[in-house]
């Protein structure tokens, strides 16, 4: 029985390969379409739970700032990745001054915590680098990739369970995998990919590429434990050097730093909008 299950899993893995926007091979047990569908449910659940502890930001200055920055990035994302035009582009601004974090699920559903902006004293250019990086995780199907990893781990545990007659290891639904994807760290390859796509989006949107370097310098200096952001976004030691090189190479894409149009992005100020 164990041999049959392992053989079946091997065949599944071979047939589940995909290619990322940068040409990297990806494991895709979960399709991008399913990741978007399940992420919608996970987003509603996650943001609702968060809003029960912290307020969703409604301050007009915050809403205008985040919607403008994100809208310019989304304009460029749609231009280069037309399939994302119909995504439910939205941002929940979590009024939590102690948390330094931001994320984006499949389908363009995002969150940013006020703490990462206020504690690091971020400029608009630095916020654009964060949100561009997060948007890039969605564009490159990293949610589906992490969901696939979660399913694979639980499938392996399920095989052990059947052999040893142990129970309780099987993942109960892909919606749970979508929530787990928020907690799982990105691979270094996925991080490099999001850096590359994100800094390009930011440059095309009119934001300074140098801000990517200053952002990660601030991240690395943010306390002994580092921001929560780094728990799911591991930071290689040469990241700032790599971003500097990328910025220099891509600066010609928008040498005058002219600003993009602002694509409508919904700011979630009430859970009834979810």
């Amino acid at each position: 029985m164990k041999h049959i299950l392992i053989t079946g899993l091997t065949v599944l893995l071979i047939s589940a390969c995909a290619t990322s926007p940068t040409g990297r091979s990806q494991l895709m047990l979960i399709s991008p379409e399913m990741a978007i569908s399940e992420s919608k449910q996970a987003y509603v659940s996650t943001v609702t739970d968060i809003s029960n502890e912290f307020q969703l930001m409604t301050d007009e200055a915050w809403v205008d700032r985040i919607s403008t920055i994100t809208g310019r990035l989304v304009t460029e994302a749609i231009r280069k990745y037309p399939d994302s035009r119909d995504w439910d582009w939205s941002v929940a601004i979590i009024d939590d001054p102690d948390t330094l974090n931001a994320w984006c699920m499949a389908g363009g559903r995002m969150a940013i915590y006020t703490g990462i902006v206020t504690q690091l004293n971020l400029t608009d250019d630095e916020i654009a680098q964060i949100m561009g990086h997060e948007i890039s995780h969605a564009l490159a199907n990293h949610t589906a990739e992490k969901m696939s990893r979660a399913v694979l781990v639980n499938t392996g545990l399920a095989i052990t369970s059947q052999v040893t007659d142990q129970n309780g290891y099987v993942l109960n639904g892909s919606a749970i995998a979508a929530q787990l994807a928020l907690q799982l760290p990105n691979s270094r390859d996925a991080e490099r990919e999001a850096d590359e796509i994100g800094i390009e989006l930011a440059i095309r949107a009119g934001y300074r590429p140098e801000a990517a370097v200053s952002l990660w310098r601030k991240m690395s200096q943010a306390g002994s434990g580092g921001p929560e952001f780094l728990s799911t976004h591991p930071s290689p030691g040469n990241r700032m050097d790599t971003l500097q090189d990328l910025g220099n190479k891509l600066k010609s894409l928008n040498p005058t730093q002219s600003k993009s149009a602002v694509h409508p992005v919904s700011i979630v100020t009430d859970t009834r909008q979810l």
Side-chain angles (χ1 to χ4, degrees), residues 105-214:
M105 286 183 167
R109 297 176 180 87
M110 297 170 265
I112 184 169
Y113 292 71
T114 58
I116 199 168
V117 177
T118 56
Q119 287 197 40
L120 300 185
N121 192 26
L122 297 183
T123 64
D124 285 2
D125 295 278
E126 289 167 339
I127 294 173
Q129 295 295 336
I130 284 183
M131 301 309 282
H133 181 94
E134 291 309 308
I135 288 168
S136 299
H137 279 305
L139 294 172
N141 296 318
H142 292 165
T143 301
E145 195 173 7
K146 288 202 289 183
M147 287 173 66
S148 297
R149 283 166 49 200
V151 169
L152 179 62
V153 168
N154 281 272
T155 300
L157 290 171
I159 291 174
T160 303
S161 174
Q162 292 192 39
V163 172
T164 62
D165 293 324
Q166 296 176 1
N167 297 311
Y169 293 109
V170 182
L171 185 67
N172 185 19
S174 52
I176 296 176
Q179 289 179 309
L180 285 175
L182 279 179
Q183 303 166 18
L184 289 171
N186 292 282
S187 70
R188 293 241 172 148
D189 286 339
E191 283 301 296
R192 281 190 287 267
E193 197 162 58
D195 281 347
E196 181 178 339
I197 298 171
I199 198 170
E200 179 178 341
L201 291 179
I203 290 171
R204 289 184 182 276
Y207 294 102
R208 295 171 54 253
E210 297 86 359
V213 177
S214 61

Side-chain angles (χ1 to χ4, degrees), residues 1-247:
M1 176 64 74
K2 180 179 179 181
H3 175 73
I4 293 172
L5 289 169
I6 291 175
T7 300
L9 181 59
T10 301
V11 172
L12 180 63
L13 292 176
I14 292 172
S15 63
C17 290
T19 303
S20 77
T22 64
R24 179 176 62 86
S25 180
Q26 292 176 292
L27 170 68
M28 287 293 179
L29 296 172
I30 300 292
S31 71
E33 294 75 20
M34 180 178 287
I36 290 173
S37 175
E38 298 300 336
S39 289
K40 181 176 182 178
Q41 297 180 51
Y43 188 72
V44 171
S45 174
T46 301
V47 173
T48 299
D49 287 346
I50 291 172
S51 69
N52 289 335
E53 297 184 51
F54 306 99
Q55 292 184 340
L56 291 170
M57 178 61 76
T58 60
D59 179 80
E60 187 174 343
W62 272 93
V63 169
D64 287 348
R65 188 183 188 192
I66 298 302
S67 62
T68 298
I69 294 169
T70 308
R72 286 178 176 147
L73 294 166
V74 170
T75 298
E76 296 304 323
I78 291 171
R79 185 172 288 140
K80 188 164 185 181
Y81 303 90
D83 288 349
S84 68
R85 178 176 298 279
D86 296 327
W87 285 6
D88 184 17
W89 292 104
S90 56
V91 186
I93 307 171
I94 311 301
D95 189 9
D96 177 4
D98 297 324
T99 298
L100 283 67
N101 202 11
W103 43 264
C104 181
M105 286 183 167
R109 297 176 180 87
M110 297 170 265
I112 184 169
Y113 292 71
T114 58
I116 199 168
V117 177
T118 56
Q119 287 197 40
L120 300 185
N121 192 26
L122 297 183
T123 64
D124 285 2
D125 295 278
E126 289 167 339
I127 294 173
Q129 295 295 336
I130 284 183
M131 301 309 282
H133 181 94
E134 291 309 308
I135 288 168
S136 299
H137 279 305
L139 294 172
N141 296 318
H142 292 165
T143 301
E145 195 173 7
K146 288 202 289 183
M147 287 173 66
S148 297
R149 283 166 49 200
V151 169
L152 179 62
V153 168
N154 281 272
T155 300
L157 290 171
I159 291 174
T160 303
S161 174
Q162 292 192 39
V163 172
T164 62
D165 293 324
Q166 296 176 1
N167 297 311
Y169 293 109
V170 182
L171 185 67
N172 185 19
S174 52
I176 296 176
Q179 289 179 309
L180 285 175
L182 279 179
Q183 303 166 18
L184 289 171
N186 292 282
S187 70
R188 293 241 172 148
D189 286 339
E191 283 301 296
R192 281 190 287 267
E193 197 162 58
D195 281 347
E196 181 178 339
I197 298 171
I199 198 170
E200 179 178 341
L201 291 179
I203 290 171
R204 289 184 182 276
Y207 294 102
R208 295 171 54 253
E210 297 86 359
V213 177
S214 61
L215 166 66
W216 284 100
R217 183 177 295 115
K218 289 179 179 181
M219 287 281 193
S220 65
Q221 295 170 349
S224 57
E228 183 177 344
F229 189 84
L230 294 182
S231 67
T232 53
H233 297 72
S235 181
N238 64 348
R239 191 169 206 160
M240 286 186 282
D241 291 338
T242 301
L243 287 168
Q244 182 73 60
D245 291 342
L246 278 170

